[in-house]
Amino acid sequence: AQTVTQSQPEMSVQEAETVTLSCTYDTSESDYYLFWYKQPPSRQMILVIRQEAYKQQNATENRFSVNFQKAAKSFSLKISDSQLGDAAMYFCAYALGTSGSRLTFGEGTQLTVNP
Amino acid sequence: GAGVSQTPSNKVTEKGKYVELRCDPISGHTALYWYRQSLGQGPEFLIYFQGTGAADDSGLPNDRFFAVRPEGSVSTLKIQRTERGDSAVYLCASSLMQGSVHGYTFGSGTRLTVV
């Protein structure tokens, strides 16, 4: 079974600074995808960034980038130039690269951005 | 519709009662997922529909939980003889055939409180 672990229940960062959220996962599969989702108080899960396991290049989306270490099964999220609106719960998630694959989520990291 | 709609937004029920939670996915999305998110935790998979059929119901915790999607669009999650431990946010997500590739879109969830 696949598992996802986020070892940082809470993190804080100063506005305009950079913060890195950690995630490790365990799988024996070779075809899979990794995700970071943001969940604000509205409860809706919002996709931040996605990484295909077969791609060696780390995904980037504006201020958000990942450090994907496939051998170490590590998938960290870096947020640059943090903004107040980045404050939320962040979840790392895994899904197989097959039709109908469900997401397996980590426990989450609560990010606080201090002005 | 433009997004995934879940109703009601909040539901308070008495222990032992029956509840129904509704999910209206994005038009054309054939895959539909239900997740349960307990306080302070990541969402946990409950059931996955491809079209009208439940392709994977391995996450349903017991036989008090049941879900249907009779016409391949709207889905209803049904909980019989509710218990206080059923209190959680129930999230619905939809996607084109392969969510890991096409992306999952989440609703804002239903917060169920059993008193």
Side-chain angles (χ1 to χ4, degrees):
Chain A
Q2 293 81 25
T3 59
V4 178
T5 303
Q6 294 178 250
S7 58
Q8 306 156 316
E10 298 176 346
M11 290 285 283
S12 64
V13 63
Q14 292 296 126
E15 196 175 4
E17 296 295 308
T18 296
V19 64
T20 299
L21 308 184
S22 301
C23 172
T24 59
Y25 61 96
D26 189 22
T27 184
S28 57
E29 304 290 337
S30 59
D31 181 15
Y32 58 89
Y33 293 73
L34 296 165
F35 307 80
W36 278 98
Y37 279 91
K38 171 184 177 180
Q39 188 179 41
S42 67
R43 301 194 304 242
Q44 186 177 20
M45 287 284 187
I46 301 166
L47 179 65
V48 174
I49 199 165
R50 183 184 76 171
Q51 174 81 43
E52 296 91 333
Y54 62 86
K55 287 188 177 178
Q56 293 187 338
Q57 186 173 6
N58 289 325
T60 63
E61 286 287 342
N62 300 312
R63 297 182 295 107
F64 299 88
S65 62
V66 298
N67 183 3
F68 174 45
Q69 300 290 325
K70 191 171 184 178
K73 295 180 181 173
S74 171
F75 183 62
S76 60
L77 174 69
K78 185 170 84 171
I79 306 174
S80 304
D81 185 26
S82 297
Q83 301 176 358
L84 295 177
D86 294 334
M89 196 73 165
Y90 284 81
F91 290 96
C92 179
Y94 163 104
L96 285 171
T98 56
S99 178
S101 54
R102 92 277 288 264
L103 287 161
T104 299
F105 288 89
E107 307 92 331
T109 297
Q110 180 68 50
L111 179 65
T112 302
V113 181
N114 300 308
Chain B
V4 177
S5 175
Q6 291 189 247
T7 54
S9 179
N10 294 282
K11 175 72 175 177
V12 180
T13 191
E14 292 181 346
K15 180 175 176 294
K17 298 290 188 181
Y18 167 84
V19 296
E20 290 189 351
L21 312 180
R22 175 188 169 108
C23 173
D24 198 342
I26 290 175
S27 178
H29 279 193
T30 56
L32 185 146
Y33 306 79
W34 283 98
Y35 293 85
R36 180 169 69 174
Q37 185 176 20
S38 299
L39 188 64
Q41 301 293 316
E44 293 179 318
F45 169 78
L46 293 176
I47 188 169
Y48 153 63
F49 287 90
Q50 184 61 255
T52 60
D56 182 357
D57 64 357
S58 61
L60 294 177
N62 52 60
D63 61 5
R64 296 186 297 106
F65 288 74
F66 189 70
V68 295
R69 195 186 184 198
E71 297 179 355
S73 56
V74 172
S75 177
T76 305
L77 178 65
K78 309 181 180 196
I79 310 174
Q80 299 177 322
R81 305 184 303 280
T82 52
E83 300 177 356
R84 292 197 178 86
D86 298 335
S87 296
V89 172
Y90 290 82
L91 292 168
C92 176
S94 71
S95 73
L96 292 170
M97 273 193 62
Q98 187 167 338
S100 53
V101 172
H102 299 111
Y104 307 86
T105 303
F106 282 82
S108 294
T110 294
R111 180 181 299 281
L112 176 65
T113 303
V114 182
V115 298

